[in-house]
Amino acid sequence: MANTMMKGKQDRVGEAEQVGHDWSELPGELLALIGQRLIKLKLAIRFRAVCTRWRRTLAELQPMMFRQSSPSPLLMLPYCNDDAACGCRSQQQQLEGCQCRLFLDLVHNQYHHIDFVEGLERSSCRGSAFGWLFMLQLPVPLLLNPLTGKQIQLPPITSFSDVLEYDPEKLGLEYLVQDPLPEGGKIRLGKRRLGYNYMRRFAMSSADPTSEDCTVMVIRQNNYMNLAFCKPGEEEWVLIPNPDGNHLQNIVFWRNQFYAIDLDSIVLRCDLSNPAVPTMSVFVDGVDMQADTAYLLVGPADELMMIAKCVEFDGQDVDDHGLPVHHEHVEEAEGQDVVDDHGLQVHHDHDEEAEDQDVDAHGLPVPHHHDEEEEEEVDDQASVFCVSDVDTDTELESRGTANYRSTFEVYKLNEDTRQWGAVQSIGDFALLVGTNTPTYLSTKNYPGVQSNCIYFTDDEFTAHVRRRFGGHDMGVYHLSDGTRESFCSTDLYKPGLIWPPPVWIVPSNC
């Protein structure tokens, strides 16, 4: 009897598999009923993302529900600390460790606790575009959709010609990198140091990274800055020469081409028509302004806009890299590691060189070259300088903390004259800037967002590298009067440091 019942059940399953079901053809009324019961942001977004028909049907049958559950701009915050009062951590998570990230829905001013991809919950994000995050997982960076969990691997950084060696067994000094400058030598770096120096910003040409037309562009730094690009699925990054050594700040895709801006507000246009020999040339000359960071974005009228950010430190002198200058003198103890002005550990291979060790513009040690006769007697490893991930006691004592705050100016490009003009008001729009690809929002479509304002997050990479301070400088900047206010509770994190730094996630249909 039991065998007969089991056989009948198997037959029915087989018949169902043969007939098949087209889930996209579910009745619209049923979709609406299901959608009403999905109160969690993550579930609502995933429900709508199943197929085009589900999304279109929900928009037609339940426009209000569709609007409220649409992917409004989200601020991805770190995991909550142990003293967080947001209530998003369960007792089990507190026991096992938090494998999540906290998301702030900007429009509805609601916090959402969303499980993150395992192993990436504390990784550094170096940019976002169209809802995708550029996660600096080494040696293979990847694109991540934090709401669906989908991952797309990008070419490994070992595909760059100046990365000579990767040895995971050398903890804290995994990478051997060739300094590209003529007087440069070899530098051994750890993952954190290399990640800080190597990739900073990213942009995409398409909202769909699986499309054949999608190109990923990043700003890459190894003593001087380059642009590098690839197509997801390819095996190598391609470098774009930067012969003038422009201090690149930001990149954007506009009218089928990538553009980059440097610290002097000079805009460079990339020519990828011949991917084997890419070039970039000056598109817009700079404007006389003082800025610590310059952003490019495509405005509401498809115009090119620039945001200039100035960083002000409270009562402290800062160096050329925006880091606080500490005037106290620390004598070097015998046998103690020497630390440069940027907190980097300098290992001297020869005692006679130790007294006059030079560092380059980025705080990395500059190897001294020997003449040909000496080179024959020196081992190859003698010209390798090490910059470890391991913090020494001297480094931790020398870094300190600093409070800083940002102010902003907005410019618009006159395409006829190719000159920047200052903008006093952006009307019923708000700008979102930070590590994300800068973008705008219509405050008419999102009533919870304030007009004529800049919503900004902290992207001071020089501060974040030591993880001693940074991440906290975020808020709403009012262009009308230069005042600022907070949009996120600072009680969730310890003062002075929010790590990993927050980042905007703006899906392509916002």
Side-chain angles (χ1 to χ4, degrees):
M1 182 68 176
N3 292 336
T4 303
M5 293 177 62
M6 181 62 68
K7 184 178 185 301
K9 184 178 180 179
Q10 292 174 346
D11 291 341
R12 290 193 297 272
V13 172
E15 292 174 1
E17 291 178 348
Q18 291 176 3
V19 174
H21 296 282
D22 188 352
W23 290 99
S24 67
E25 297 301 324
L26 283 178
E29 293 78 5
L30 180 58
L31 291 175
L33 289 173
I34 297 173
Q36 289 176 346
R37 287 163 172 77
L38 298 177
I39 60 175
K40 290 188 176 181
L41 175 70
K42 179 177 67 174
L43 297 179
I45 292 175
R46 291 181 177 179
F47 180 62
R48 293 169 47 254
V50 169
C51 65
T52 303
R53 182 181 174 275
W54 284 24
R55 179 179 176 84
R56 184 175 60 250
T57 301
L58 289 169
E60 294 171 353
L61 295 180
Q62 285 193 316
M64 182 58 65
M65 186 280 291
F66 178 82
R67 187 187 70 181
Q68 290 179 346
S69 65
S70 65
S72 64
L74 301 173
L75 180 67
M76 185 176 73
L77 295 159
Y79 49 90
C80 300
N81 65 26
D82 294 334
D83 300 324
C86 63
C88 71
R89 291 186 62 181
S90 66
Q91 183 177 2
Q92 185 68 20
Q93 288 172 326
Q94 293 179 15
L95 293 174
E96 298 178 354
C98 193
Q99 294 182 346
C100 71
R101 296 293 282 268
L102 193 63
F103 288 75
L104 171 63
D105 183 336
L106 180 63
V107 174
H108 303 101
N109 194 30
Q110 295 177 340
Y111 289 95
H112 298 278
H113 178 88
I114 298 179
D115 294 335
F116 212 63
V117 177
E118 185 175 357
L120 298 179
E121 61 273 2
R122 299 196 179 195
S123 297
S124 177
C125 171
R126 288 308 175 92
S128 70
F130 303 115
W132 290 87
L133 304 178
F134 180 76
M135 305 299 294
L136 197 57
Q137 286 289 101
L138 299 180
V140 182
L142 55 86
L143 299 178
L144 170 68
N145 186 316
L147 299 177
T148 66
K150 186 173 183 178
Q151 303 177 43
I152 298 177
Q153 288 193 345
L154 299 175
I157 65 167
T158 51
S159 65
F160 287 112
S161 59
D162 55 2
V163 178
L164 306 179
E165 177 185 307
Y166 169 64
D167 187 350
E169 294 185 359
K170 295 183 177 179
L171 297 179
L173 292 169
E174 292 91 346
Y175 293 90
L176 182 64
V177 178
Q178 177 67 52
D179 190 323
L181 298 179
E183 68 275 14
K186 299 176 183 178
I187 303 175
R188 188 169 287 282
L189 299 166
K191 290 190 293 185
R192 177 152 58 95
R193 306 281 192 172
L194 183 67
Y196 160 69
N197 280 309
Y198 225 64
M199 291 181 175
R200 295 195 173 195
R201 302 280 183 180
F202 111 108
M204 293 197 306
S205 63
S206 168
D208 181 8
T210 63
S211 168
E212 294 182 357
D213 298 329
C214 183
T215 299
V216 175
M217 183 81 71
V218 298
I219 294 179
R220 201 209 69 152
Q221 177 175 332
N222 181 15
N223 258 341
Y224 68 90
M225 292 185 175
N226 286 100
L227 294 177
F229 69 94
C230 73
K231 288 185 177 295
E234 293 183 344
E235 297 181 356
E236 295 183 349
W237 292 94
V238 179
L239 284 174
I240 303 178
N242 181 14
D244 296 329
N246 298 78
H247 191 65
L248 303 174
Q249 296 283 292
N250 202 257
I251 43 182
V252 72
F253 189 74
W254 179 53
R255 297 180 183 175
N256 297 318
Q257 286 185 296
F258 283 99
Y259 293 81
I261 189 169
D262 72 2
L263 197 55
D264 296 318
S265 69
I266 297 173
V267 179
L268 304 161
R269 178 167 54 190
C270 302
D271 183 0
L272 307 184
S273 56
N274 183 358
V277 190
T279 61
M280 63 181 183
S281 57
V282 175
F283 178 68
V284 178
D285 290 326
V287 65
D288 186 16
M289 66 176 191
Q290 296 293 324
D292 295 285
T293 305
Y295 307 89
L296 281 179
L297 76 150
V298 179
D302 193 37
E303 73 273 47
L304 198 62
M305 301 180 70
M306 174 180 66
I307 303 173
K309 182 179 80 169
C310 291
V311 180
E312 301 174 353
F313 283 77
D314 292 346
Q316 278 191 288
D317 296 330
V318 296
D319 61 20
D320 293 338
H321 300 271
L323 290 173
V325 175
H326 299 271
H327 298 288
E328 60 270 18
H329 177 69
V330 180
E331 294 185 1
E332 179 186 348
E334 183 178 354
Q336 187 180 51
D337 292 320
V338 179
V339 179
D340 66 25
D341 292 336
H342 302 278
L344 301 180
Q345 179 183 350
V346 179
H347 298 262
H348 298 294
D349 293 285
H350 301 286
D351 291 339
E352 58 267 24
E353 291 180 356
E355 295 181 1
D356 299 317
Q357 175 67 55
D358 296 326
V359 295
D360 62 26
H362 303 281
L364 295 175
V366 176
H368 296 287
H369 290 277
H370 306 273
D371 57 34
E372 294 182 359
E373 293 182 359
E374 290 177 332
E375 286 180 354
E376 294 178 357
E377 300 177 359
V378 178
D379 182 77
D380 289 340
Q381 293 299 317
S383 61
V384 176
F385 286 79
C386 299
V387 186
S388 175
D389 274 351
V390 179
D391 294 335
T392 65
D393 292 338
T394 305
E395 286 182 289
L396 296 178
E397 292 174 0
S398 67
R399 297 313 299 157
T401 60
N403 186 30
Y404 53 87
R405 48 193 289 122
S406 299
T407 60
F408 299 87
E409 294 179 347
V410 179
Y411 298 81
K412 184 184 296 185
L413 179 66
N414 184 320
E415 295 187 50
D416 295 329
T417 62
R418 289 197 182 180
Q419 293 182 340
W420 292 113
V423 175
Q424 303 303 322
S425 173
I426 56 176
D428 294 326
F429 292 94
L431 307 179
L432 272 63
V433 300
T435 54
N436 61 295
T437 298
T439 189
Y440 67 89
L441 295 175
S442 170
T443 54
K444 293 181 179 179
N445 296 336
Y446 295 96
V449 180
Q450 300 185 62
S451 299
N452 198 30
C453 289
I454 297 176
Y455 287 74
F456 64 96
T457 60
D458 196 332
D459 58 357
E460 288 298 305
F461 293 118
T462 49
H464 298 153
V465 67
R466 301 307 310 151
R467 301 189 188 179
R468 298 287 289 168
F469 63 99
H472 62 279
D473 184 33
M474 55 183 177
V476 184
Y477 184 85
H478 294 264
L479 290 171
S480 58
D481 56 10
T483 58
R484 43 184 281 166
E485 62 181 283
S486 175
F487 58 78
C488 177
S489 172
T490 57
D491 296 335
L492 301 176
Y493 309 100
K494 64 182 181 181
L497 175 67
I498 301 179
W499 180 266
V503 59
W504 291 115
I505 301 175
V506 186
S508 57
N509 61 331
C510 277

